[in-house]
Amino acid sequence: MLPIVVIAESVGSKLTPSTLEICHVASMIADSLDQDWLILINDAAKNEAGFIAPRVISYALADGECHAPDMHASIAAEIVASSQLVMMAATSTGKDVLGRVAQLLSVSLVQDCTGFEMDGDRLLLKREMLGGKVLANVKINSCPQLVSFRPRSFPTTSPLRQVPVIESYTGKSFDLRTSVDLRKTTRSTRPDVTEASIVVSGGRGLQGPENWYLLENFLDVLGPDATLACSRPVSDEGWRPHHEHVGQTGRTIAPDVYIAVGISGATQHIAGIAGSKYILAINKDPDAPIFRIADYGIVGDLFEVVPALTNAIRGK
């Protein structure tokens, strides 16, 4: 039987921050079970993976296959079929690929977990349900156990001080059924909304896309680990791109600091940001629902409050 397996995501030759978190989890579980663990990754990032995991299995993909989830899932399913535990980050790609692996192996999958405990040689998984109102304990009885963990639920792992074993996948080839012909990426130097430590999020209170410069100026003084987000009405109106939409119907996030600007705080929005360590709300309505969950609140006109905060951090 293979040891614990992490299916990695990478951008070019770099592992994603959420993959590093999953590696940290794998290392902890492997230590508790006195077992080994490995990482499964595309050839492009195998050298970086070698600094993280004690064992690496890499596979080669042609250019047209790099964004084909069915190809990734088919290769992964063949490799991990006899393993005990398979993990991935609960990103858009992770949920897509791991869901396909579960179908191919006819096993259970628990998505978007936020924590775990060991119950013998199996995991007792922590997962939010009903918009974060309930924390469920879930155990998987099938084997392998397939799990995805929400980004920013764990710290990242440290580089190993040992020479890893790097192997190449030499199994059968698979027919490519789907592929991505065009992939647009933003040129922003800011982190992805699911991986940022500080998230500044705007709502309809900003009154239009022309006022987003207030948040962009605010973001500049908060540093490189901060990024922008928005509520669903904002993305529905086309003020901001959909990938910035956070909430139950958008991206689920867990930053160190979440700053809600002009957001009333509908139940669906709160469900997507409840994992934040600290929530700061800025709203002119003292009865806005967002204040019920906020650790700190400022009742005031955002067009006055946000510039004042920006200047205060700048030291003006």
Side-chain angles (χ1 to χ4, degrees), residues 12-284:
S13 62
K14 297 292 184 182
L15 294 173
T16 62
S18 54
T19 292
L20 297 178
E21 291 181 36
I22 304 303
C23 289
H24 177 79
V25 176
S27 179
M28 289 192 298
I29 295 173
D31 288 345
S32 68
L33 297 177
D34 193 25
Q35 290 187 6
D36 200 358
W37 67 281
L38 65 83
I39 188 169
L40 173 62
I41 193 166
N42 187 359
D43 266 349
K46 68 180 179 182
N47 290 328
E48 179 170 297
F51 290 103
I52 302 298
R55 185 179 170 194
V56 178
I57 296 180
S58 65
Y59 54 91
L61 292 175
D63 290 341
E65 301 170 348
C66 289
H67 306 295
D70 61 326
M71 181 68 72
H72 287 257
S74 296
I75 293 173
E78 183 179 7
I79 293 174
V80 307
S82 61
S83 62
Q84 179 180 353
L85 172 64
V86 182
M87 296 183 293
M88 214 171 169
T91 60
S92 298
T93 298
K95 290 178 180 179
D96 190 356
V97 171
L98 209 55
R100 294 168 187 264
V101 173
Q103 186 273 329
L104 289 170
L105 298 179
S106 298
V107 296
S108 299
L109 163 63
V110 182
Q111 298 269 39
D112 203 30
C113 297
T114 57
F116 71 92
E117 295 177 3
M118 296 305 302
D119 184 14
D121 63 348
R122 291 192 171 271
L123 295 180
L124 186 62
L125 298 159
K126 308 292 182 180
R127 186 178 186 278
E128 294 180 1
M129 299 177 67
L130 302 178
K133 294 185 175 70
V134 175
L135 183 62
N137 293 325
V138 183
K139 185 186 291 187
I140 304 175
N141 292 323
S142 58
C143 192
Q145 304 168 74
L146 267 58
V147 184
S148 71
F149 285 101
R150 182 179 299 177
R152 292 192 58 79
S153 296
F154 303 93
T156 57
T157 188
S158 299
L160 298 174
R161 297 182 179 273
Q162 63 185 78
V163 178
V165 176
I166 299 181
E167 309 167 29
S168 295
Y169 168 75
T170 56
K172 63 181 180 180
S173 59
F174 297 92
D175 293 331
L176 185 64
R177 293 178 295 171
T178 60
S179 64
V180 176
D181 293 326
L182 177 63
R183 187 169 185 255
K184 291 184 177 181
T185 58
T186 60
R187 295 182 179 273
S188 174
T189 58
R190 297 287 178 180
D192 184 79
V193 69
T194 61
E195 297 175 341
S197 59
I198 302 174
V199 175
V200 179
S201 188
R204 280 185 294 191
L206 277 128
Q207 300 178 9
E210 68 277 4
N211 295 319
W212 231 260
Y213 74 93
L214 293 170
L215 300 191
E216 291 170 347
N217 291 341
F218 188 31
L219 208 68
D220 288 340
V221 301
L222 293 176
D225 293 330
T227 200
L228 283 173
C230 67
S231 62
R232 177 173 178 171
V234 167
S235 65
D236 285 348
E237 290 290 335
W239 296 359
R240 299 299 298 178
H242 180 69
H243 70 263
E244 291 183 3
H245 163 209
V246 295
Q248 191 173 38
T249 55
R251 315 286 294 278
T252 299
I253 62 174
D256 293 333
V257 179
Y258 181 74
I259 304 174
V261 182
I263 295 175
S264 62
T267 301
Q268 292 83 357
H269 184 80
I270 291 173
I273 57 106
S276 307
K277 292 183 180 178
Y278 297 99
I279 297 174
L280 168 64
I282 302 171
N283 201 297
K284 65 181 180 181

